[in-house]
Every structure is written in C-alpha cells, then in structure tokens.
Amino acid sequence: MLELRDITKNYNTGTVNEMCLFDRFNLSIDAGEFVSVVGSNGSGKTSMLNIICGSIPIDGGHIILDGRDITMQKEHVRARYIGRVFQNPAAGTCQNLTIYENMSLADHKNGMFGLQHGVNRKRYDVYRALLADIGLGLEDKMHTRVGVLSGGQRQAMALVMSTLTPIDFLILDEHTAALDPKTADTIMELTDKIVRSKGLTTVMVTHNLRYAVEYGSRVLMMHEGRAIFDRSGEEKAALRVEDVLSLFDKISIECGN
C-alpha cells in the first residue's frame, strides 16, 4: 500500500514565480491496484510520480510504502523496489549496449557491481524466453545494439527490464505517448499482461482517455494539485470515455480555455 500524507510541494520558492502545486495532498493506493491518472498539463500528474520515485524533494508530508516511511530515501534506493518506464523509449535502455547486455544490467540492479563480467551467461536462455513472450522477435536479436531498435521495441524492453527483478511498485510515465497508435496498443496489451501476471501495484499517467478507461482498476483525475475525480470497482467498470471527456471539457471552460 502506498500513502501520500499531507504532501506539500512548492516550485520557484522565493521568486515572483513561486507556486504551490500540492497543499497537504493525500492519496492512498492499495496493494495490487492499477491506477490510471489523467489530467491537464500542470495538474500535478508527473510531479506526483516524481515525488513517489524520489526524483524531486517535497516541502512537507510523508510517503509511506507498505508501512515504511520512505520520505527521506534517495531516488537510487527507491529504484530497488520501484520500477519506472518513461515517455521517451530511449530513457529506459542503453542504446550502445546489446539487448543481452541491457537485460543483464537490469537483472543485476539490486546487486553489487565489481570487476567481473557484466553479462550472466547462465541467464541467457531466461532472457530469450522473456523476450519471446513479447512477440516482437527480440529474442532473435540478443546481440543487436538497442539503439537500432524501433521505439516500440525499446519500450517493450524497458517494460520487461523494469520488472525483471522483484519490485513493489510500477510507475508508467506516459509510456505510450511517443508511439504510433498501433504500437501504443501493443505496449498497453503487454503492460496489462505484465501487471496482471506479477500482481504489481501500478500507477500509470496517460493522456489517452481510452487507455485510462479500458485498463486498470481505478481512474484518478488531477487538477491544480488535487484529485477531483476518483472511480474504482463497479463505478470504474461502468465508466465511459465520454464521461471523462465531459469532465475535461467542464474544467477547460471553467479555466477559460
């Protein structure tokens, strides 16, 4: 379970551009939930993800994960149990290394690095099997540099790599936004398959309202640092894209857009 308790976050403190994004913001996410987060630009979606991952500091409040207060933990420490897939397919992989080398590094992220081989030959067949399950033919390109792969192939790899070691939480930061519609659908199907098979607690920020409605167990809409819409269970199952879109339109009108 993740709890954000009384989170306060200010930007540009002490300047004429000072802004309070979160003012004692609270949110609870139960273990095993798949939460889709939508909202306009500047609503606090990505900032919330960065706060969970430790990418940015907070000015007040606490972050509790499975009963542990991780508020003061550094980002690299949280990365041991929080997987993250970014919007840019290049962000989750190393382009100058091969698929095999990338998988080996991801497989060893919680271990100690010393003066030994960076690849694990004993795990080669395991990596091939995991990649074969994606259905993109990556298992036959183990010694191909990742930099020559398509964006969809790299994002599929990033998904597998982020969940290769046991994690408690998965963060998806608009991970289909840079892909064409067909590839984005493929990545969403893969995402759903991985999340379900591993039972991962997941937060996905997306601008695709269809994905927010069709996937996951809960929909959250952010606006000006607040959660203004929260549906789960039967209410979420009955939700339509038109319902979410109408709320977007109402907010836009109220904001003068």
Side-chain angles (χ1 to χ4, degrees):
M1 180 177 184
L2 174 75
E3 296 178 82
L4 301 180
R5 297 180 183 172
D6 296 326
I7 299 297
T8 298
K9 177 59 186 175
N10 299 298
Y11 285 101
N12 305 313
T13 304
T15 73
V16 294
N17 296 317
E18 182 172 348
M19 179 194 70
C20 179
L21 177 59
F22 292 120
D23 183 13
R24 301 181 70 84
F25 174 72
N26 290 279
L27 178 68
S28 294
I29 298 174
D30 291 334
E33 275 195 310
F34 184 168
V35 184
S36 297
V37 182
V38 298
S40 57
N41 292 332
S43 61
K45 306 184 303 299
T46 297
S47 289
M48 181 176 70
L49 298 190
N50 286 331
I51 285 170
I52 293 171
C53 293
S55 303
I56 59 175
I58 56 176
D59 299 302
H62 295 273
I63 307 161
I64 311 296
L65 182 62
D66 294 334
R68 298 171 294 160
D69 191 327
I70 65 171
T71 309
M72 303 306 294
Q73 278 189 355
K74 299 295 184 181
E75 182 177 13
H76 71 275
V77 177
R78 298 188 202 185
R80 296 172 183 170
Y81 50 85
I82 298 178
R84 186 171 186 174
V85 183
F86 296 87
Q87 177 178 338
N88 182 359
T93 54
C94 183
Q95 66 175 359
N96 291 322
L97 298 181
T98 66
I99 291 177
Y100 179 28
E101 291 166 339
N102 270 269
M103 294 288 286
S104 292
L105 285 175
D107 199 16
H108 199 64
K109 77 172 185 178
N110 291 338
M112 298 293 292
F113 287 89
L115 297 177
Q116 71 264 11
H117 290 292
V119 294
N120 187 346
R121 295 190 180 97
K122 295 180 180 179
R123 296 278 286 169
Y124 184 84
D125 290 337
V126 174
Y127 303 152
R128 286 195 82 253
L130 287 171
L131 294 172
D133 201 36
I134 297 175
L136 296 178
L138 293 174
E139 70 277 10
D140 296 323
K141 300 179 179 180
M142 292 291 285
H143 298 287
T144 300
R145 283 197 310 109
V146 170
V148 304
L149 301 179
S150 69
Q153 288 174 321
R154 291 185 72 164
Q155 206 66 316
M157 268 195 64
L159 261 173
V160 172
M161 289 167 59
S162 68
T163 58
L164 192 55
T165 57
I167 57 173
D168 299 323
F169 213 86
L170 178 62
I171 295 291
L172 304 170
D173 189 359
E174 298 186 50
H175 71 308
T176 63
L179 307 175
D180 65 80
K182 183 178 180 180
T183 303
D185 283 348
T186 298
I187 294 301
M188 273 309 307
E189 291 170 6
L190 175 62
T191 299
D192 189 55
K193 180 179 180 180
I194 290 175
V195 169
R196 288 177 180 273
S197 65
K198 294 180 178 287
L200 295 173
T201 306
T202 304
V203 176
M204 176 181 73
V205 165
T206 180
H207 283 294
N208 190 312
L209 300 185
R210 179 170 66 85
Y211 292 161
V213 170
E214 290 184 2
Y215 293 95
S217 57
R218 183 176 173 188
V219 174
L220 194 72
M221 181 180 288
M222 302 288 294
H223 180 60
E224 295 181 345
R226 296 178 292 114
I228 62 168
F229 181 87
D230 191 351
R231 297 290 185 273
S232 59
E234 293 182 359
E235 288 184 321
K236 196 272 181 185
L239 198 62
R240 302 174 304 161
V241 172
E242 292 79 8
D243 300 326
V244 185
L245 185 59
S246 65
L247 183 55
F248 256 120
D249 290 341
K250 181 181 178 181
I251 292 172
S252 296
I253 293 172
E254 291 176 350
C255 293
N257 296 329

